[in-house]
Amino acid sequence: MTEITQPGSGEAATRATEEAAFYHEAALNANWTSSRLAIGSLSFLFGAFAFAYFYLESSDGHSKWLPSSTTPPQAGYGAAIMALVVVSAVLTSVGLHRIKAGSKSSWMISGLVALIAGVAAVALTVWQLLNLPFQPGQSGFASVFVGFYPVALTVWFAAMVWLEILLAQARSIPVISFVEQPPTYAEAFQVQRFQSALSAFTTVWNYLAIIAFVFWLLFYVR
């Protein structure tokens, strides 16, 4: 592999290479750390809705948690939204393994399908919120439901923007760079940073899929 070269003495070139390697390692660590911090932040965010759900259900003040006047949401919408998010997460996981094995085209296909599934989940959530069989403050259940899903679809949409950015970045990386060692440090660093960012996204998106499944159980099955 050709080292990064800078004008000047060999000592200056060596120093530049070491600095580039240092910042590259820092970028990789930042991706790992930020994904874990994101999971922690999302846990607090969605944990608030879980707490509200169980608290209001257990207290059931004046039988206002889920009175007979509140029609439950349509189960088909909930199952479809949850399934789309889970399928999207599974596809990104499979695609991550494929691209680490050197198959960029397989990841591009699975990533694109995952993007379509995620966007479909967001669109279906919007449609569901616009056609609810109850008013937002009609009951405790309705309040938690209407509070959770707008937040969830916002987070899902942000995740899909992240995935689209990754797809755009992948297009600029030659296929051969995922199969063979790139000829320069700069190209090698680009591939490694991309794979690190993709791993971070996959971790967060899989966590969001778990959240979608848990709240589907609470709102539609329990």
Side-chain angles (χ1 to χ4, degrees):
M1 179 184 292
T2 306
E3 293 188 355
I4 299 174
T5 59
Q6 296 287 341
S9 65
E11 182 180 350
T14 301
R15 187 181 304 112
T17 301
E18 292 175 349
E19 289 180 357
F22 172 80
Y23 287 117
H24 171 65
E25 187 67 24
L28 298 182
N29 292 334
N31 283 330
W32 189 94
T33 303
S34 61
S35 65
R36 273 61 183 179
L37 289 175
I39 288 176
S41 300
L42 291 169
S43 297
F44 279 104
L45 175 63
F46 292 117
F49 292 106
F51 174 81
Y53 181 99
F54 288 110
Y55 176 77
L56 293 175
E57 182 190 36
S58 61
S59 60
D60 196 20
H62 304 287
S63 300
K64 290 296 186 180
W65 165 246
L66 188 57
S68 57
S69 59
T70 300
T71 303
Q74 295 185 20
Y77 281 134
I81 293 168
M82 181 274 296
L84 286 168
V85 174
V86 171
V87 167
S88 178
V90 170
L91 286 171
T92 55
S93 297
V94 172
L96 175 62
H97 289 295
R98 294 300 302 152
I99 201 168
K100 285 185 175 181
S103 179
K104 174 186 173 180
S105 59
S106 296
W107 180 79
M108 292 293 291
I109 294 172
S110 62
L112 181 59
V113 177
L115 177 64
I116 294 172
V119 172
V122 170
L124 193 58
T125 302
V126 173
W127 176 261
Q128 176 185 236
L129 291 172
L130 292 175
N131 295 275
L132 290 175
F134 49 74
Q135 296 299 317
Q138 187 171 334
S139 64
F141 177 91
S143 297
V144 178
F145 187 95
V146 175
F148 169 79
Y149 271 101
V151 173
L153 75 87
T154 302
V155 175
W156 295 341
F157 180 76
M160 292 302 96
V161 172
W162 187 2
L163 178 56
E164 170 55 29
I165 292 173
L166 291 172
L167 285 167
Q169 290 176 342
R171 296 187 191 102
S172 65
I173 302 175
V175 176
I176 194 64
S177 296
F178 294 99
V179 180
E180 299 179 358
Q181 187 72 25
T184 66
Y185 280 115
E187 292 174 327
F189 289 170
Q190 182 186 23
V191 173
Q192 292 173 13
R193 289 185 186 184
F194 170 78
Q195 291 180 336
S196 176
L198 181 57
S199 295
F201 167 79
T202 303
T203 300
V204 174
W205 189 225
N206 276 273
Y207 178 76
L208 289 172
I210 294 173
I211 293 294
F213 179 76
V214 169
F215 277 90
W216 169 73
L217 291 177
L218 294 179
F219 288 127
Y220 296 94
V221 178
R222 191 169 184 272

